[in-house]
Each structure stands twice: as structure tokens, then as C-alpha cells.
């Protein structure tokens, strides 16, 4: 069976949902030892103040849960929070949590008129119900997630397709990231005792934000599903010889569980709690492979949804003001986020209805200002079939898997398995952002966003009318696919226009092959210091002679390897004075194999002008 799309952001078809249910009925399929047995999971809803905030406050009087209890965001100016809390208690509600620095109170009430009444109170700016179902009784006395027994693995690390596609395997030879960089996994939780995650896990900064209030008890952060553990492994599974390796295996990861047990839904108050926690605990990057339930899109002309937008927006702005960059999945509905018309998936905590929407309605957190929005790619250079897209919405792309090829990563209990989705693409970008932060410790979130854009490799649109824009920036891939190797280059990345081909060209014995690369939009002549990056997989490279062929036919010798050079592969950057040739046109990397017995492939090569 092919790996199923992660349901954490967007929804698969009904047929996929049935397959997911069948897989869940046989959990032993999760205990895989090789990619041949993919893992699946089923759950819905996946996608600065001057002074430090006061700690989130519990109700002053312990409240007892009652049927009909609903949750609300009550929003005011930060200076008016005390008055807002008084108004909550005076009008049939209780204060469940309060984020004073951003003016957001999480209130509970059983009154059907609570929101309408509070909206009429002076100083209160917005009030919105965050769900269309009751708050679970568990919110008042949360049970700790299960602590799964751990299985040892016989798997040894190998280069996986998703890591080679973004050159993470090459990046590790330069840097695996800094342990001073903390990454927050805002998700279903993380199995902190997993053999591939324990070496990098930061328990002191981990927490549960389920129901909208921090719960820092030991283990509260653990996984109530499998999704968050899978995401965590893609970001930072340790380079320890076991299982898999994350994009940034030297950084620290902390779990912020924002999914509630049983439903595994991510309500707005949970996300608010998670973002404020991220800001206060020094997370340099957070990964957000979910959308805030119960609305796939929140619309500002709906009073409840407008309050959700504002509350989560303030929390993300607070986190960014504290130095934290948010990275988020674009969603799995094959939906054009730049041309919204309908939403048939909401609310997902009660009865779904089909409604007409416009571009004013947004998927949060992924469409909030400052958040890096990630689309998914299949193995190769194509958009994953399920991935959302949108001109001006997608920032960058990364491997998410598709069809029979999924992303292989960690699962609770020391296990491993395969998933596909924009949920899997986003942690690749988060890992690259962590590598950038490691190489550039003074970078702000704005610096990291800008660098993620400039280091990405352009991916041209396929023959698909929905993919509008240019090769440099389009609806399917934004600025392009992230590149971990560039991310570890420190503060001096290439400054000119960058072009790359990842089309494989076979190198056979005693032949000469050309790998073409088309350059457009540069203008004028090539520079005197044209950078030529070469990635060739070939045993015994002494067989090889490498040359660059300019559009005007001029041939520049890059390297004639010594005949006795028995090393494998070529991963080098050459500098060429190509100023006599026009920049625009078709350039070629020419590879001559002058012997028998060893063959290989031009894996990728690039030009930086």
C-alpha cells in the first residue's frame, strides 16, 4: 500500500480516509524496520511587547466542568487585560488562561449569550468562540499521554531521497547545526525517549498547550498520535548511526503539544499558548504542520473567526518579536490559496457545511504575516499532487512525498515509518532554517525569511495552467526548493543570480556527455568570476575530465583529474572567467569518461552569476 497523505493539514479523499482507518485497526504496521512498510495515522485539522508576559494564569477559583462549556478568545488592549478578565467573570464566564502581554484571555462559559454580552463591554475589542463543540472535561484535569515502550532498531543510517534532494547529506559534511539553536515542534507531541530523538531533546523547554494553558508536567509534551514524532525526526533526528538523520541533526528540539487527545484537533487557544511559549523560551524556529481547527479558513466578516485571526496573529507577532521564526505547511487539499471560493471542510468538530469564501478568509497560521508557507514536492521537481499552492502565498517548497514515495522518519516507541504531506515538507524547511540560524547566530526572523528565499533553488512551472508566475517565483514552488548545502555556507552565500539543474545524466565508460542548463533574465555578459557548482556521483574520478561550455561554444576546462585519483565523486565549486560570453542562453557541463570499469551520473550542477 502506498504511504497515505498526512491528514494534519487538509483532508485526503474518502477512500484514503477509509484506508487510514483500516491501517489504524492494525497498529503493528507502524512498527516497521524499513521503508517498505509505511506508517499511517488518522486525525483531522493538519496544518512584541516591551516587557516579558506574565505567566498564564489559572482561574482564581477552581472551576468544575459542565456540559455545554465552550471556549472563547477575549481580546483587548494589553493595558485593559485586568478589566477584561473582570468582565469575563462578571458575565457568566471563567478565566481559563490569560496572555497579558498580547491582550488575549482564554475564557470558558456555558452561557449561550456570553460572547454577545461581552462584545458590548467597553474596552473589549473582540470576542470569538474557538470551537463549535464543548470543551472536553479533560481540560480541567488533563491526563498525561502514554509513555510508549521503546523498541531498539537494527536500521543503520543511509541517505534518503528527501535529504539528497535538498542536499542535506552534503550539508552534514560542513555542519550539522548548533546545539545553541532550539527548534519548537508545535504538533501532536514528541516521543522524547525515541533513540533518534533523545540525544537532541530539550525537556526543560517542552510543554503541553492542549486546551490553551501550559502544562509543564514531565511527559505532558508526549505524542497523542504519531504525527509530531515523525515531524521531529525530519528536523533533527540525531546523526548517531541509527535509523534516520534529520536535516539539522545538531540542533535541539522541544515539543509543544498543541493537539488535544482523542480528537487530535488544534484549536486557536492552543496555538496562542504555543506561540507565546515559543517566544518566551527562546525558540529560534518553530514548525507548524497543522491548521487551527475547527475552520479550514477563518473569515474576518465572521465575529468568532475574526477573533481567532486576531488572537493567533498577536501570538505569532509576539513570538517573532522575541526572535522566533514560524514555518508552516500549506495544506493538502490541492487548493489554490490565491483564489479561494469555497470551504466544504468546516467546522470539523461538529457538522461540516459548504460555504462561499473569498481571499479575505485565511488558513492560519500558514497565511499569517511573517509565517513561511511551504508547499510539498514529490521525488524530483514536481509539485506533490495533494499540495496546496497559490501565487504570492507559497514562499518555498520542500520534499513531502507522493504516491509510493513518502518521507521516512521517526515514530513513537523507537519505530520508523513513512508519511506524505505538506506536513512532511514543512519540517525540511524548518531544518534548513535551523542550519541558517546555526551559521548566522545574529540573524533575526526577517533575516532568516530573506535567506530562505535567496538560498532556494528555482523550480520552473510544469505544463499546468494553475502554475502562474516565473521560474524565479511561482504559484507551485514560490522562491523554489530549499537547499541545505547553501544554508551551511555561513554569512557569505552566493550573491548573484543562481541557476541549477537536478536532471540526472548518465556517464558511461569511454563517452562524453553534456548536461544542459538554460539561463535567462541575467542580461549582458557572464562575469569574470562565474561560479560553477558540480555534483557528480562516479566511482574512481580519475577517469573524468570536466569542462564548461558557454552559449557561444567556448569551452572552459574545469578539471582534468589525475589518472591515479581513486577517490569517488565530485562535489566542488569552480571559478571561471566567462566574460567573453553572453550570460543568457544554454550552458553545458561536459563530462568525459576516458576509461573502462567505472560509471556514474551528473547528479546536479549550478551557475551563480
Amino acid at each position: 500500500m502506498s504511504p497515505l497523505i498526512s491528514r494534519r493539514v487538509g483532508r485526503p479523499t474518502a477512500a484514503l480516509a477509509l484506508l487510514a482507518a483500516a491501517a489504524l485497526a492494525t497498529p503493528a504496521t507502524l512498527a516497521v524496520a524499513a521503508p517498505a512498510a509505511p506508517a499511517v495515522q488518522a486525525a483531522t485539522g493538519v496544518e512584541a511587547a516591551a516587557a516579558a508576559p506574565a505567566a498564564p494564569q489559572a482561574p482564581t477559583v477552581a472551576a468544575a466542568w459542565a456540559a455545554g462549556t465552550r471556549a472563547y478568545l477575549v481580546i483587548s488592549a494589553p493595558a485593559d487585560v485586568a478589566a477584561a478578565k473582570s468582565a469575563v467573570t462578571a458575565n457568566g464566564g471563567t478565566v481559563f488562561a490569560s496572555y497579558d502581554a498580547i491582550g488575549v484571555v482564554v475564557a470558558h462559559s456555558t452561557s449561550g449569550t456570553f460572547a454577545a454580552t461581552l462584545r458590548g463591554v467597553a474596552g473589549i475589542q473582540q470576542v470569538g468562540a474557538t470551537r463549535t463543540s464543548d470543551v472536553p472535561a479533560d481540560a480541567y484535569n488533563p491526563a498525561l499521554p502514554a509513555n510508549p515502550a521503546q523498541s531498539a532498531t537494527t536500521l543503520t543510517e543511509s541517505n534518503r531521497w528527501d535529504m539528497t534532494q535538498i542536499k542535506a547529506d552534503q550539508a552534514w559534511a560542513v555542519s550539522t547545526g548548533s546545539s545553541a539553536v532550539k527548534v519548537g515542534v508545535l504538533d501532536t507531541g514528541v516521543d522524547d525517549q525515541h533513540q533518534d530523538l533523545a540525544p537532541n531533546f530539550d525537556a526543560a523547554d517542552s510543554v503541553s498547550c492542549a486546551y490553551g494553558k501550559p502544562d509543564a508536567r514531565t511527559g505532558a509534551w508526549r505524542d497523542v498520535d504519531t504525527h509530531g514524532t515523525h515531524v521531529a525526526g525530519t528536523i533533527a533526528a540525531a546523526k548517531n548511526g541509527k535509523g534516520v538523520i534529520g536535516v539539522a541533526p545538531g540542533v535541539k528540539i522541544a515539543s509543544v503539544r498543541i493537539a488535544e487527545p482523542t480528537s487530535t484537533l488544534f484549536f486557536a487557544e492552543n496555538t496562542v499558548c504555543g506561540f507565546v511559549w515559543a517566544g518566551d523560551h527562546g525558540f529560534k524556529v518553530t514548525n507548524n504542520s497543522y491548521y487551527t481547527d475547527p475552520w479550514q479558513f477563518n473569515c474576518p466578516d465572521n465575529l468568532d473567526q475574526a477573533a481567532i485571526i486576531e488572537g493567533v496573529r498577536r501570538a505569532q507577532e509576539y513570538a517573532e518579536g522575541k526572535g522566533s521564526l514560524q514555518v508552516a505547511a500549506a495544506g493538502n487539499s490541492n487548493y489554490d490559496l490565491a483564489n479561494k471560493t469555497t470551504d466544504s471542510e468546516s467546522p470539523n468538530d461538529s457538522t461540516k457545511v459548504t460555504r462561499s469564501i473569498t481571499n479575505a478568509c485565511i488558513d492560519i497560521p500558514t497565511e499569517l504575516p511573517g509565517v513561511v508557507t511551504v508547499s510539498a514536492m514529490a521525488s524530483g521537481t514536481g509539485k506533490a499532487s495533494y499540495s496546496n499552492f497559490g501565487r504570492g502565498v507559497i514562499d518555498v517548497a520542500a520534499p513531502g512525498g507522493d504516491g509510493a514515495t513518502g518521507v521516512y522518519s521517526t515514530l513513537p516507541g523507537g519505530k520508523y515509518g513513512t508519511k506524505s504531506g505538506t506536513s512532511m515538507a514543512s519540517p525540511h524547511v524548518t531544518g534548513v532554517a535551523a542550519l541558517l540560524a546555526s551559521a548566522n547566530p545574529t540573524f533575526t526572523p526577517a533575516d532568516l525569511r530573506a535567506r530562505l528565499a535567496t538560498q532556494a533553488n528555482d523550480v520552473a512551472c510544469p505544463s499546468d495552467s494553475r502554475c502562474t508566475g516565473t521560474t524565479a517565483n511561482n504559484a507551485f514552488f514560490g522562491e523554489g526548493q530549499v537547499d541545505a548545502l547553501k544554508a551551511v555556507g555561513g554569512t557569505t552565500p552566493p550573491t548573484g543570480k543562481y541557476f541549477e539543474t537536478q536532471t540526472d545524466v548518465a556517464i558511461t565508460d569511454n563517452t562524453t556527455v553534456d548536461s544542459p542548463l538554460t539561463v535567462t533574465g541575467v542580461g549582458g555578459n557572464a562575469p569574470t568570476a562565474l561560479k560553477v557548482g558540480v555534483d557528480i556521483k562516479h566511482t574512481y574520478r580519475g577517469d573524468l575530465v570536466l569542462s564548461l561550455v558557454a552559449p557561444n561554444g567556448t569551452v572552459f576546462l574545469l578539471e582534468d583529474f589525475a589518472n591515479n585519483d581513486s577517490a569517488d565523486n565530485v562535489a566542488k565549486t569552480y571559478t571561471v572567467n566567462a566574460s567573453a560570453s553572453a550570460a543568457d542562453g544554454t550552458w553545458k557541463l561536459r563530462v568525459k569518461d576516458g576509461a573502462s570499469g567505472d560509471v556514474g551520473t551528473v547528479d546536479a550542477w549550478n551557475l551563480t552569476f
Side-chain angles (χ1 to χ4, degrees), residues 77 94 143 149 163 201 207 216 267 409 440 449 463:
T94 58
M163 295 297 165
F201 193 79
V207 72
F267 292 101
S409 187
N440 304 278
R449 272 197 306 273
S463 298

Side-chain angles (χ1 to χ4, degrees), residues 224-285:
V224 294
D225 190 73
T226 62
H227 191 271
T229 300
H230 193 279
V231 164
T234 298
I235 297 169
K239 196 172 188 296
N240 56 2
K242 303 174 183 177
V244 299
I245 311 173
V247 177
V251 305
K252 292 296 183 184
I253 46 173
S255 172
V256 181
R257 178 168 68 86
I258 58 173
E260 297 180 5
T262 307
S263 71
T264 61
L265 295 181
F266 299 69
F267 292 101
E269 60 268 37
N270 309 359
T271 304
V272 168
C273 172
F275 285 161
V276 172
W277 182 273
D280 288 342
H281 288 261
F283 295 171
K284 196 65 177 178
V285 192

Side-chain angles (χ1 to χ4, degrees), residues 9-33:
V9 181
R11 308 295 191 278
T13 63
L16 288 179
L18 289 172
L19 284 171
L24 284 174
T26 55
T29 60
L30 294 179
V32 295

